[in-house]
């Protein structure tokens, strides 16, 4: 059963329900493009049936390999950037003890490299790895992305020095393109176990391939339940390719209606810090998919109530171009109550005995109403609890919601041509062969 619930009551005051329903023909047409593979980017639709098509043997192979890596690693390093790490991180952090690393929890602790080029971060990481037993996955579909490639050079040298070349080979996993690409070539020549990122699955839609599944399994999270959750949402989506009866379609239609009415920034809101990276994953998925041809909703994110003390003022009273999408978690896993204090100097005794989750939910309700009163429409997406099943459902919900949104917007939701601009400049400034003309022009602009 689908447990993700969508509530648009606090949107209808801005966009009447009928106006959202008027997008139904666009939803139906977008669905047709997806399932008939007739839209732009139709060679990148492999994610659509990933949950239902992954086989038991494939899952078992990942689980067994993950178990072996878990046995010999205190730390597991995921090297990747963008879609090659955000999905795994979103799932892992949503289900890991908040203080796992300091709490003596048994490992392996999953940590990340190659998601930027910070020298200090990388040096600190190598300090840590000097002292820990570790394994790593290098994840890059293209195999040539600068950030993870630099990190892998450094970590490959480190792990080989630490364990010797033979043992290092058993501790390195490569997840990359099937046949093309530098990383595949290296994996084959070094004899690393490697997994394939299917040709027809783009990075930001790849969390349910080994890109996400292997690190998630290494973190000890049930990939079966995650896939099962996604499967349920996939089945619903395929069965109901219209707004009525389909929360994904409602969501996509509502955000398109809001965008057309001038709401061009979507803020994903969570009240659980463990969903921070889920929001990061959402930002990448929607930002790279929709933001092109001078259009697209700008995806942002906040964590409440923390950010009510920083971004709350802007959301309440700044430019009225915002709408919020709240991920609301009904039940916490742990139970904590506000204690009674004899002096009541902080005047909190009126809530003594209440669970923190109840206070958190009241904060959510109060904030929603305040922001709605301030002109910010609110989409509420609730799940009963954070679990592999519900997170799996949410993953597929947002993937399909993104594809529908991109087609309704009239863009190709599966390419990212704009990402190349910074790369070209960086290569030119670093003196890469073939970029000589740009190097001179850029240096002149920088006054060098
Ligand atoms: O979603 C995408 O396609 C990108 O964000 C890529 O995942 C990212 O650029 C990393 O690419 P690669 O896996 O080729 O290193």
């Amino acid at each position: 059963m689908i447990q993700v619930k969508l509530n648009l009551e606090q949107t209808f005051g801005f966009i009447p329900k009928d106006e959202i329903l008027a997008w139904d023909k666009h939803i139906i047409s977008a669905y047709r493009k997806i399932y008939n593979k007739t839209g732009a980017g139709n060679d990148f639709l492999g994610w659509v049936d990933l949950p239902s098509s992954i086989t038991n043997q494939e899952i078992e192979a990942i689980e067994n390999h993950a178990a072996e890596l878990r046995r010999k690693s205190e730390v597991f390093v995921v090297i990747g950037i963008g879609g090659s790490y955000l999905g795994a991180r979103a799932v892992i952090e949503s289900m890991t003890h908040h203080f796992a690393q300091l709490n003596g929890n048994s490992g392996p602790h999953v940590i990340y490299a190659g998601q930027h080029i910070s020298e200090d971060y990388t040096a600190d990481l190598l300090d840590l790895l000097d002292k820990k037993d570790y394994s790593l996955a290098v994840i890059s579909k293209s195999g040539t992305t600068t950030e993870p490639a630099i990190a892998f050079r450094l970590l490959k040298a480190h792990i080989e020095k630490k364990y010797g070349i033979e043992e290092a080979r058993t501790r390195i996993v490569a997840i990359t393109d099937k046949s093309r690409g530098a990383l595949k070539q290296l994996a084959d020549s070094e004899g690393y176990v490697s997994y394939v990122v299917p040709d027809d699955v783009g990075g930001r839609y790849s969390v349910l391939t080994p890109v996400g599944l292997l690190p998630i399994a290494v973190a000890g999270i049930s990939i079966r339940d995650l896939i099962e959750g996604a499967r349920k949402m996939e089945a619903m989506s395929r069965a109901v390719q219209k707004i009525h009866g389909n929360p994904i379609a409602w969501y996509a239609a509502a955000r398109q209606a809001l965008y057309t009415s001038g709401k061009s920034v979507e803020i994903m809101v969570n009240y659980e810090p463990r969903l921070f990276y889920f929001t990061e994953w959402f930002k990448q998925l929607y930002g790279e998919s929709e933001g092109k041809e001078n259009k697209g909703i700008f995806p942002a994110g906040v964590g409440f109530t923390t950010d009510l003390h920083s971004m709350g003022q802007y959301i309440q009273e700044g430019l009225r171009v915002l709408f919020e999408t709240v991920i609301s978690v009904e039940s916490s896993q742990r139970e904590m109550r506000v204690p009674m204090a004899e002096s009541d100097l902080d005047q909190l005794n009126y809530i003594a005995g209440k669970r923190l989750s109840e206070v958190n939910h009241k904060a959510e309700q109060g904030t929603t109403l305040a922001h709605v009163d301030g002109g910010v429409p609110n989409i509420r997406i609730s799940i009963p609890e954070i679990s592999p099943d519900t997170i799996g459902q949410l993953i597929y919900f947002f993937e399909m919601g993104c594809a529908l949104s991109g087609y309704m917007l009239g863009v190709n939701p599966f390419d990212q041509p704009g990402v190349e601009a910074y790369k070209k400049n960086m290569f030119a400034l670093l003196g890469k062969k073939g970029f000589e003309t740009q190097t001179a022009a850029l240096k002149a602009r920088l006054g060098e």
Side-chain angles (χ1 to χ4, degrees):
M1 199 183 72
I2 303 285
Q3 290 156 306
V4 172
K5 300 260 179 299
L6 178 80
N7 184 332
L8 293 175
E9 286 305 317
Q10 301 300 338
T11 301
F12 295 148
F14 298 86
I15 307 280
K17 198 173 184 173
D18 284 350
E19 270 181 46
I20 298 178
L21 283 168
W23 285 88
D24 207 26
K25 53 182 179 300
H26 300 281
I27 289 282
I28 291 167
S29 146
Y31 258 127
R32 224 175 274 138
K33 284 185 181 149
I34 293 166
Y35 288 122
N36 296 344
K37 302 196 173 187
T38 51
N42 57 4
D43 45 348
F44 280 97
L45 286 164
W47 58 273
V48 172
D49 60 359
L50 273 177
S52 61
S53 62
I54 188 165
T55 63
N56 198 35
Q57 286 100 306
E58 286 169 319
I59 297 175
E60 227 166 66
I62 293 174
E63 286 172 337
N64 292 341
H65 190 191
E68 184 196 324
L69 292 164
R70 278 173 69 76
R71 271 194 295 278
K72 58 181 179 190
S73 320
E74 295 171 271
V75 165
F76 188 70
V77 189
V78 172
I79 303 176
I81 195 167
S84 285
Y85 97 105
L86 278 168
R89 192 163 192 176
V91 176
I92 291 167
E93 301 219 350
S94 74
M95 270 168 277
T96 303
H97 190 287
H98 292 89
F99 306 102
Q101 294 186 32
L102 298 173
N103 201 40
N105 292 40
S106 62
H109 300 297
V110 180
I111 57 176
Y112 303 86
Q115 78 278 37
H116 47 60
I117 321 171
S118 165
E119 192 160 3
D120 289 341
Y121 178 100
T122 313
D124 285 355
L125 175 68
L126 292 186
D127 285 351
L128 175 81
L129 297 178
D130 282 343
K131 300 180 210 107
K132 300 283 180 190
D133 262 327
Y134 75 100
S135 312
L136 66 86
V138 52
I139 309 177
S140 177
K141 188 170 178 189
S142 63
T144 53
T145 306
T146 308
E147 294 89 339
I150 292 175
F152 184 52
R153 273 198 185 200
L154 286 160
L155 267 75
K156 180 175 183 292
H158 185 275
I159 203 168
E160 285 176 351
K161 186 159 172 239
K162 182 164 175 145
Y163 295 103
I165 290 187
E166 280 312 309
E167 172 66 12
R169 282 183 177 139
T170 71
R171 289 175 178 266
I172 297 175
V173 185
I175 305 179
T176 187
D177 180 271
K178 181 165 74 220
S179 48
R180 299 181 299 266
L183 187 53
K184 177 66 185 160
Q185 224 175 305
L186 184 72
D188 288 347
S189 68
E190 295 280 354
Y192 305 149
V193 173
S194 64
Y195 292 88
V196 170
V197 190
D199 281 346
D200 57 358
V201 180
R204 58 190 176 275
Y205 292 84
S206 69
V207 54
L208 299 175
T209 71
V211 169
L213 296 178
L214 181 78
I216 292 166
V218 172
I221 295 165
S222 167
I223 57 171
R224 278 177 196 272
D225 292 351
L226 185 80
I227 293 165
E228 187 48 37
R231 245 178 222 166
K232 292 178 202 166
M233 196 56 84
E234 180 196 332
M236 185 286 298
S237 172
R238 193 173 281 276
V240 189
Q241 296 175 31
K242 58 183 169 61
I243 294 181
H244 269 304
N246 179 339
I248 309 178
W250 268 111
Y251 170 66
R255 60 196 298 287
Q256 212 53 40
L258 288 166
Y259 177 63
T260 313
S261 78
K263 303 294 186 190
S264 55
V265 178
E266 177 176 17
I267 306 177
M268 177 170 277
V269 179
N270 70 68
Y271 286 78
E272 290 293 339
R274 55 176 23 147
L275 291 179
F276 177 86
Y277 270 94
F278 191 84
T279 300
E280 293 303 298
W281 171 80
F282 157 84
K283 280 161 57 183
Q284 192 228 353
L285 178 61
Y286 280 71
E288 274 194 352
S289 301
E290 285 190 301
K292 47 197 75 154
E293 300 173 27
N294 300 321
K295 352 188 226 195
I297 295 171
F298 183 84
V302 290
F304 287 166
T305 60
T306 312
D307 290 333
L308 287 172
H309 299 261
S310 61
M311 299 304 287
Q313 172 60 37
Y314 191 103
I315 296 171
Q316 190 69 46
E317 295 182 349
L319 266 186
R320 301 298 72 193
V321 294
L322 315 173
F323 68 97
E324 290 180 322
T325 297
V326 177
I327 305 294
S328 183
V329 182
E330 279 156 24
S331 305
S332 305
Q333 283 145 13
R334 313 283 300 271
E335 192 173 325
M336 296 284 296
R337 291 180 189 271
V338 179
M340 179 69 87
E342 214 167 290
S343 65
D344 197 25
L345 284 175
D346 52 13
Q347 297 178 6
L348 277 184
N349 276 354
Y350 77 103
I351 53 168
K354 285 194 192 299
R355 286 185 64 177
L356 264 60
S357 52
E358 189 182 343
V359 179
N360 208 12
H361 284 134
K362 294 297 169 208
E364 182 196 321
Q365 288 172 336
T367 304
T368 297
L369 295 178
H371 289 179
V372 166
D373 290 346
V376 180
N378 185 285
I379 297 175
R380 183 167 186 267
I381 296 171
S382 61
I383 50 173
E385 61 182 357
I386 296 176
S387 68
D389 187 329
T390 58
I391 294 293
Q393 293 181 39
L394 279 181
I395 285 172
Y396 199 88
F397 177 99
F398 282 108
E399 285 182 347
M400 185 54 83
C402 185
L404 292 171
S405 297
Y407 281 147
M408 285 197 289
L409 186 66
V411 299
N412 175 354
F414 308 113
D415 66 358
Q416 54 284 329
V419 179
E420 295 311 309
Y422 100 89
K423 290 187 191 168
K424 282 185 194 144
N425 285 355
M426 179 175 72
F427 294 152
L429 290 170
L430 287 169
K432 189 171 179 176
K433 222 169 152 212
F435 288 81
E436 293 77 5
T437 329
Q438 292 97 314
T439 308
L442 290 177
K443 283 195 168 167
R445 278 175 68 190
L446 292 169
E448 288 179 6

